[in-house]
Amino acid sequence: MKKLGEVLVERGWAGSADIDRALHAQQAAGGRLGTCLLEASIIDETRLLEALSSQLEVPAVDPDRLRTIPEDTFRMVSNRLVRKLRAVPFRQRGDRLEVAMLDPKDLAIQDELAFATGKHIEPFVAPEARIVEALERYYQTDCPGRISRLLDRLNRSRYLWNQEEDDFGSDALFATPPELALPAGEEAAYGSPDGEAAATASATVLDDFSAEAVILEPESTIQLTAEQAFTVLAATSDRETIGETLTDFLLQSCERVALLGATRRAFVPWKAGGQGLQHQRFAEFSLPATQPSLFKALREGVDHHFGPLPPMPSHRRLMACWDGAMPKVCIIVPIAIGERLVAVLYGDRRRDAVVGLDLTTLQRLANVAAAALERCIVLKKQAQPEN
């Protein structure tokens, strides 16, 4: 069986240095590796669940399922036994009992639960934090402060968005332009079947460049290291500081950089940089969320783009904020809180490959930036007077 770190590295969700850092944290603080990865914002909970499920070859239980366990189910096993085994029954199906476990490969635990309940046990994997949360909720087990802090962050990420009202979501951070009308002559292209086909095709564009062609030595000395950027972002809850840090870091490797906020209606300007930037044009830029583009593909689940920028009208409008030149290669990475896209990182070079930029580092930077933006949203909510 592969190790969790190997699965994450193979999928491109973490780098070897990230795994080493989490392992050092595990040696110092204890707990599961997944807990340390979540604490360091190296991966999010969704990816951790997917990686654990793949590693252990069992299904993962959704955290929402563990928050709504029927009483007749969780009472099937005594408090003493659940605390001992650290395994939580969450659903009955006939003679089968589905159980969330830290180690679903432990047959001794399954046998003990089967003997106690008279049921056939179906093991599911769950992160350590969710097991501890369920033990506290249903079996009166104390939750350690470390896990409590992690759960607070995970739950705010997961349950921050109100489906009916989004006053404190990304719309509160990024002002949506009141008019999102398309430029004259572009409506037909965006709404036509050909336009939709272009969007689908662009979402499947893969990196045609080898790693050697894309990641080169930087042309100048880097002034802001990745670790320095992580430190700044981890300590701030100010939107401007977040934007400036991301822009400064990306401009060391890219000629043109744009950060776009993702609201419900549109992708809107946040920060940009690079030679030839027309600040007023960028300030007036907006891209309706329904228009075909690589940014729309990110909202629909694409986890990044590293390669050519398709010459679509929406992309040309963004490039017009500089000199209009289409890049040889660009990199686009989403910033998401939970499963909600809140912003997008964009960087490119006009004629050369992107210089000195590692995709894993950039994705990790996006995760830390997402946590910082989440703090911005929470502070806005806390500052709002109660009705």
Side-chain angles (χ1 to χ4, degrees), residues 228-302:
Q228 288 171 336
F230 295 146
T231 300
V232 172
L233 292 173
T236 190
S237 55
D238 176 70
R239 187 176 76 100
E240 291 305 303
T241 300
I242 298 168
E244 290 171 2
T245 302
L246 293 172
T247 304
D248 289 346
F249 181 78
L250 282 172
L251 281 172
Q252 296 169 143
S253 305
C254 301
E255 291 181 346
R256 297 180 293 191
V257 168
L259 305 181
L260 302 177
T263 73
R264 288 173 295 178
R265 298 178 60 197
F267 295 95
V268 296
W270 176 10
K271 285 280 186 182
Q275 186 175 7
L277 175 64
Q278 300 180 50
H279 295 274
Q280 184 61 35
R281 177 166 283 187
F282 180 72
E284 295 171 351
F285 174 84
S286 68
L287 179 63
T290 56
Q291 279 184 0
S293 71
L294 288 179
F295 306 106
K296 179 174 180 282
L298 294 181
R299 192 187 291 275
E300 295 170 350
V302 175

Side-chain angles (χ1 to χ4, degrees), residues 176-198:
T176 306
E179 298 297 332
L180 295 175
L182 305 183
E186 291 188 1
E187 291 88 341
Y190 290 140
S192 68
D194 289 341
E196 291 298 330

Side-chain angles (χ1 to χ4, degrees), residues 1 4 12 14 34 81 105 125 163 177 183 219 236 258 287-288 307 314 356 366 374:
M1 184 174 63
L4 175 61
L81 186 58
K105 293 295 187 181
V125 67
Q163 293 182 355
E219 297 172 343
T236 190
L287 179 63
S314 52
E374 182 189 343

Side-chain angles (χ1 to χ4, degrees), residues 49 70 96 122 132 138 146 157 178 215 227 233 239 262 316 338 341 360 369 372:
L49 279 169
R96 299 178 179 273
E122 291 191 357
V132 172
Y138 303 108
R146 173 192 178 194
S157 296
I215 303 175
E227 290 302 325
L233 292 173
R239 187 176 76 100
R316 292 188 182 279
L341 182 70
T360 299

